[in-house]
Amino acid sequence: MFILFIAIVFASFGLQERLSSQSKLLQEEKTPIIAEYNVADLSKDAVVMKLPAVDKIGGGVVALLSVQAQEGSGRTLVDIEGLLFFTDTQESITIAKKVASDYTRIDLSKYDLTYKIYAHADSIGGPSAGAALAVATIASLQNLNLRDDLVITGRILPDGKIGEVSSIAAKARIAKENGAKMFLVPLGQGREKVVEPKKSCTQEGKNEVCNIENVTVEKSIEEEAGIRIVEVSTVQEALAYFLDEARA
């Protein structure tokens, strides 16, 4: 098994011309990435998911992940544009493949896996895409249809557990803006701690003396972002939501 990094890996699937032209549009315009891509056109045989992420200044952005499994010789083909911290993303793909193989009991040496991520320039990639990578890999290997109205963030661990990541609130807001109805987050990250100023006053004679101090308060991300937040601890739990088995 090995990872082969190439600039354009979809030429063998007849998509080079289409994806190249779309990539140029992304670089020239600052419109949301989802507007630039018709998900159905990326690849009819691939599993496609939205990836909530953040940019260098902490703002929410959405990338697209495409994973395609085909019979082959165990190659892993990767084409990623716009992400910083590429090494972290590479590691997440490696772990996601192991988790998918363990879950499906499929020998990956008999398959070629193609990963493609399109993101705005300077989007932060890496560990937070791990859970999505694992779910999409499983779905591609088993030819599963995933719901397209929810997204997930979380680090993927070798045992299939989903670990904590940062910037949940920013990702929740951008997910909502891009049409998601549900956002799956790591266990314990449905709420966030924020620092807010608190004013307290006392009466000293005829004078009122006030003091302002910063206090830490806990807020519901679901209420703040207006999107349903569901905490999940494993890829198996997450997959149940994507397959509609856990829809409430």
Side-chain angles (χ1 to χ4, degrees):
M1 301 290 291
F2 64 94
I3 297 182
L4 174 63
F5 295 95
I6 55 177
I8 296 295
V9 300
F10 278 84
S12 61
F13 305 119
L15 295 177
Q16 183 177 19
E17 182 176 351
R18 180 191 298 276
L19 293 177
S20 295
S21 62
Q22 289 174 326
S23 176
K24 291 178 180 178
L25 285 173
L26 279 180
Q27 297 172 4
E28 296 170 357
E29 301 181 12
K30 298 300 181 181
T31 52
I33 190 167
I34 298 302
E36 292 290 354
Y37 286 87
N38 182 336
V39 172
D41 286 345
L42 283 176
S43 173
K44 64 180 181 179
D45 298 321
V47 172
V48 179
M49 296 173 62
K50 298 175 184 178
L51 289 180
V54 292
D55 57 23
K56 291 192 298 185
I57 60 174
V61 294
V62 172
L64 283 184
L65 164 67
S66 172
V67 180
Q68 185 172 15
Q70 292 185 320
E71 292 185 4
S73 57
R75 296 183 304 164
T76 299
L77 310 176
V78 179
D79 182 18
I80 298 178
E81 294 186 9
L83 288 182
L84 299 176
F85 303 114
F86 181 84
T87 301
D88 289 340
T89 305
Q90 174 187 346
E91 181 179 2
S92 293
I93 290 174
T94 300
I95 298 174
K97 287 171 51 187
K98 178 191 180 301
V99 171
S101 179
D102 291 344
Y103 179 87
T104 62
R105 299 184 183 278
I106 292 176
D107 183 359
L108 297 189
S109 67
K110 299 178 181 179
Y111 286 84
D112 289 340
L113 288 168
T114 302
Y115 294 88
K116 193 167 187 68
I117 298 178
Y118 273 106
H120 283 306
D122 297 336
S123 296
I124 305 299
S128 65
L133 286 163
V135 169
T137 303
I138 291 170
S140 185
L141 288 168
Q142 294 190 323
N143 296 315
L144 302 177
N145 293 319
L146 303 181
R147 287 173 54 182
D148 60 3
D149 62 345
L150 72 156
V151 294
I152 185 172
T153 189
R155 179 189 300 268
I156 186 63
L157 303 178
D159 60 359
K161 292 182 179 179
I162 296 175
E164 293 186 358
V165 291
S166 60
S167 305
I168 299 293
K171 294 172 184 176
R173 286 189 289 269
I174 197 66
K176 169 71 173 180
E177 291 174 11
N178 280 272
K181 296 180 180 179
M182 185 187 298
F183 186 26
L184 306 183
V185 304
L187 191 65
Q189 291 201 281
R191 301 180 68 84
E192 67 170 345
K193 292 181 179 180
V194 297
V195 177
E196 294 184 344
K198 181 180 180 180
K199 182 179 180 181
S200 59
C201 299
T202 59
Q203 195 70 32
E204 297 184 5
K206 296 182 180 181
N207 299 320
E208 183 181 50
V209 179
C210 296
N211 180 53
I212 297 178
E213 61 177 340
N214 291 326
V215 296
T216 300
V217 298
E218 194 174 76
K219 290 188 174 183
S220 166
I221 297 177
E222 179 169 302
E223 294 177 2
E224 291 289 318
I227 184 174
R228 184 184 174 194
I229 302 292
V230 176
E231 297 181 0
V232 291
S233 60
T234 67
V235 167
Q236 185 175 2
E237 288 181 25
L239 192 60
Y241 283 95
F242 276 99
L243 295 178
D244 209 29
E245 295 173 4
R247 172 178 275 181

